[in-house]
């Protein structure tokens, strides 16, 4: 249920649920914080060997996966000033637009992301292709710690385990209180991450 692009998990479904949780919290005199994370060129960082291992653990139909991986591994050539290099054989990268690409990306990320999400049950996490959102609600001190712990854990899993870098220029923190947003942004590396509102899956969003 943490991954989008499924039944009742479209863009507007995900953003509406996040906004609803935040509105309920604020109406109850609690605070709400959301961290919006974007993976940089995530399709290009899917390693084929790791994808095959993860897919096998999830009982993915390996016959289908072998077909697409073979297509991803077709030889490439670079040309410069009419000179052609020897064949280059890719070992990572899936093709955006391929019918199975989003499912393969989900298989690639599923176990690692599910592990860190399970360790942070006091926040809600949504993953829609390469956009990850963590939102938490509660009293000021508790919600800051919960959201920061979840965000740090998810970022570490993506960058250190999956080798998928975060787009630092797109990371955003929005909160029901500007000082809270700045505090969380600073804990994540920069106060500049704090914003009064941001684009969340293409939808205008504020906590």
């Amino acid at each position: 249920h943490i991954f989008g692009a499924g039944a009742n998990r479209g863009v507007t479904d995900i953003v509406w649920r996040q906004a609803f949780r935040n509105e309920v919290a604020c109406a109850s005199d609690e605070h709400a914080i959301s961290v919006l994370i974007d993976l940089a060129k995530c399709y290009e960082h899917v390693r084929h060997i790791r994808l095959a291992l993860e897919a096998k653990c999830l009982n993915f139909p390996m016959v289908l996966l072998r077909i697409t991986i073979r297509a991803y591994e077709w030889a490439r050539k670079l040309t410069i000033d009419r000179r052609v290099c020897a064949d280059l054989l890719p070992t990572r990268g899936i093709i955006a637009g391929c019918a199975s690409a989003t499912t393969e990306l989900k298989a690639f990320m599923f176990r690692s992301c599910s592990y860190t999400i399970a360790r942070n049950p006091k926040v809600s996490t949504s993953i829609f292709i390469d956009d990850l959102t963590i939102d938490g609600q509660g009293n000021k001190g508790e919600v800051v710690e919960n959201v920061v712990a979840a965000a740090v854990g998810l970022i570490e899993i993506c960058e250190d385990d999956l080798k998928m870098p975060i787009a630092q220029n797109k990371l955003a923190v929005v909160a029901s209180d500007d000082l809270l947003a700045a505090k969380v942004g600073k804990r994540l590396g920069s106060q500049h991450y704090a914003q009064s509102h941001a684009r969340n899956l293409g939808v205008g969003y504020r906590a």
Side-chain angles (χ1 to χ4, degrees):
H1 66 283
I2 60 175
F3 286 85
N8 300 317
R9 296 195 301 275
V11 169
T12 53
D13 297 308
I14 292 173
V15 178
W16 184 87
R17 289 188 183 105
Q18 293 165 350
F20 181 78
R21 287 192 292 266
N22 294 341
E23 188 171 336
V24 169
C26 292
S28 304
D29 294 325
E30 294 183 333
H31 291 276
I33 304 173
S34 297
V35 179
L36 313 180
I37 302 168
D38 190 282
L39 299 177
K41 302 184 183 298
C42 74
Y43 283 158
E44 298 179 12
H45 291 88
V46 175
R47 290 164 289 144
H48 299 162
I49 291 178
R50 175 67 179 266
L51 172 59
L53 292 173
E54 295 295 334
K56 188 173 182 179
C57 290
L58 296 171
N59 296 318
F60 192 94
M62 300 304 290
V63 171
L64 297 179
L65 186 63
R66 281 194 291 271
I67 292 172
T68 56
I69 287 182
R70 285 176 181 172
Y72 300 147
E73 292 179 340
W74 285 342
R76 317 286 173 85
K77 293 181 183 290
L78 294 179
T79 61
I80 301 177
D81 295 331
R82 299 182 182 179
R83 297 179 181 179
V84 181
C85 75
D87 287 350
L88 300 174
L89 302 176
T91 59
R92 72 177 192 183
I94 60 179
I95 307 301
C98 175
S100 59
T102 56
T103 303
E104 290 165 355
L105 180 63
K106 178 179 177 179
F108 182 78
M109 299 173 64
F110 188 86
R111 291 201 307 156
S112 292
C113 290
S114 295
Y115 170 76
T116 190
I117 289 168
R119 296 182 64 186
N120 295 280
K122 295 183 179 181
V123 301
S124 299
T125 303
S126 302
I127 300 175
F128 194 96
I129 315 299
D130 58 350
D131 291 293
L132 295 67
T133 306
I134 295 165
D135 65 278
Q137 299 80 27
N139 66 60
K140 185 177 295 187
E142 182 181 57
V143 71
V144 168
E145 294 304 319
N146 291 340
V147 169
V148 168
V152 169
L154 195 56
I155 290 171
E156 287 179 349
I157 282 290
C158 289
E159 293 197 320
D160 299 339
D161 180 40
L162 298 175
K163 310 299 182 186
M164 305 179 85
I166 302 300
Q168 298 292 340
N169 62 319
K170 293 184 178 180
L171 197 153
V173 179
V174 295
S176 53
D177 182 305
D178 290 342
L179 293 177
L180 276 186
K183 185 174 183 178
V184 172
K186 186 176 181 180
R187 294 275 297 273
L188 295 179
S190 174
Q191 289 182 336
H192 297 297
Y193 294 148
Q195 300 181 23
S196 59
H197 62 278
R199 302 295 289 179
N200 184 5
L201 297 177
V203 179
Y205 179 78
R206 65 175 67 243

